[in-house]
């Protein structure tokens, strides 16, 4: 067992069932409260004004005590980024599970085959749009202007930060990445790009070629871009008035890129 009473690995690699100590549970509750207070600060004043001292006030602690949990603004930022990535990815996974379950009911199979790739892409995109609209400040933290002087540590953020991209790659692989009928052409993929994409496809456990990867990454970049344009009101008041309809049309164009018509 670890010093905090968290279950550790046994000799065969499995986790022991030793319950966490009250100390460990108290720490877990405090960390959850820190994230909650950090998100409230984020919504009120933005990432650039985050303050660990304000977190301490919210917890009713002196500043020296809160540094046992989060030692700097950068560490607080990392906690909030990981929390946002995980929350967004959970929303996408819930949406994909729902559309897959609906497809099984419609088919009457119950085999777990899931929905077709285009329906899954729409579900993924819709979940991202809804999450961004409800949490604009957290979307900004993930996909807006980088916070000056801060570099997100990959070892902490990559696991949750790449979950939605992995779902996108899987959807593209299932669809074959095909464009619309009659429009297919050989795509030239630079050898260095091909090597990079193939490595990531293997990392995500997706069996597909580099062209599929290019289409998925392009659709992903486009999706983040159109959501950001909507959230940040970059297209003007007229476009904002028909934002949902415009987003729906743009999502369909991106779906063509990934799954074909």
């Amino acid at each position: 067992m670890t010093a905090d009473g968290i279950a550790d690995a046994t000799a065969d690699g499995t986790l022991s069932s030793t319950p966490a100590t009250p100390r460990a549970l108290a720490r877990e509750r405090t960390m959850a409260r820190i994230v909650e207070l950090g998100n409230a600060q984020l919504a009120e004043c933005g990432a650039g004004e985050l303050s660990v001292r304000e977190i301490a006030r919210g917890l009713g602690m002196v500043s020296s005590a809160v540094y046992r949990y989060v030692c700097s603004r950068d560490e607080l930022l990392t906690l909030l980024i990981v929390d946002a990535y995980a929350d967004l990815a959970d929303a996408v996974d819930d949406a994909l599970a729902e559309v897959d379950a609906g497809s099984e009911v419609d088919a009457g199979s119950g085999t777990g085959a899931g929905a077709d790739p285009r329906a899954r892409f729409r579900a993924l995109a819709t979940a991202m749009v809804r999450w961004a609209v409800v949490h604009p400040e957290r979307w900004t933290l993930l996909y807006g202007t980088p916070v000056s002087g801060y570099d997100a540590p990959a070892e902490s953020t990559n696991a949750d930060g790449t979950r939605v991209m992995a779902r996108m790659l899987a959807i593209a692989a299932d669809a074959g990445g095909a464009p619309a009928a009659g429009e297919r052409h050989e795509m030239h993929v630079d050898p260095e790009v091909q090597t990079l994409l193939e490595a990531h496809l293997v990392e995500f456990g997706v069996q597909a070629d580099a062209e599929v990867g290019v289409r998925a990454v392009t659709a992903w970049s486009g999706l983040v871009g159109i959501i950001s344009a909507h959230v940040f009101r970059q297209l003007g008041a007229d476009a904002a008035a028909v934002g949902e309809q415009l987003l729906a049309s743009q999502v369909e164009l991106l779906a063509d890129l990934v799954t074909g018509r």
Side-chain angles (χ1 to χ4, degrees):
M1 188 187 301
T2 64
D4 282 334
I6 302 297
D8 56 6
T10 59
D12 63 0
T14 60
L15 291 178
S16 68
S17 58
T18 307
T21 63
R23 175 186 172 189
L25 292 173
R27 181 178 180 84
E28 183 179 333
R29 288 192 296 269
T30 300
M31 293 302 296
R33 180 63 176 151
I34 287 171
V35 170
E36 181 184 354
L37 290 168
N39 279 325
Q41 266 194 57
L42 188 66
E44 182 178 349
C45 57
E49 300 299 323
L50 287 174
S51 167
V52 177
R53 289 181 179 274
E54 286 300 319
I55 297 292
R57 290 191 184 95
L59 291 171
M61 292 181 178
V62 296
S63 297
S64 58
V66 79
Y67 286 116
R68 291 183 298 169
Y69 300 92
V70 54
C71 64
S72 66
R73 182 212 65 164
D74 284 5
E75 190 171 316
L76 176 60
L77 270 171
T78 299
L79 286 174
L80 299 184
I81 287 169
V82 170
D83 179 66
Y85 273 136
D87 196 39
L88 173 58
D90 287 346
V92 167
D93 282 346
D94 288 346
L96 291 175
E98 184 175 347
V99 76
D100 287 344
S103 177
E104 291 165 12
V105 170
D106 290 343
S109 64
T111 61
D116 69 88
R118 192 176 190 92
R120 300 191 90 237
F121 179 86
R122 285 178 181 142
L124 179 150
T126 300
M128 288 183 67
V129 168
R130 289 175 177 170
W131 189 90
V133 169
V134 173
H135 305 289
E137 68 289 338
R138 298 170 82 193
W139 179 268
T140 302
L141 180 63
L142 299 181
Y143 300 113
T145 303
V147 178
S148 179
Y150 171 78
D151 289 315
E155 66 274 12
S156 300
T157 59
N158 271 7
D160 285 309
T162 58
R163 278 169 59 193
V164 179
M165 183 71 245
R167 305 297 183 262
M168 177 79 81
L169 286 168
I171 290 169
D174 288 344
E183 295 181 7
R184 189 167 181 80
H185 61 275
E186 273 312 303
M187 178 187 295
H188 172 71
V189 181
D190 183 89
E192 292 185 2
V193 174
Q194 181 169 339
T195 299
L196 176 66
L197 287 171
E198 288 176 349
H200 283 303
L201 288 164
V202 170
E203 178 186 348
F204 292 131
V206 176
Q207 294 184 342
D209 59 27
E211 181 174 337
V212 168
V214 170
R215 294 185 186 283
V217 170
T218 302
W220 165 258
S221 301
L223 184 56
V224 170
I226 65 173
I227 294 172
S228 293
H230 180 74
V231 171
F232 305 148
R233 301 299 180 100
Q234 293 171 330
L235 300 180
D238 291 343
V242 292
E244 290 187 13
Q245 299 93 314
L246 180 58
L247 277 165
S249 298
Q250 291 171 312
V251 165
E252 290 303 310
L253 287 172
L254 293 174
D256 289 345
L257 179 63
V258 173
T259 68
R261 290 194 179 96

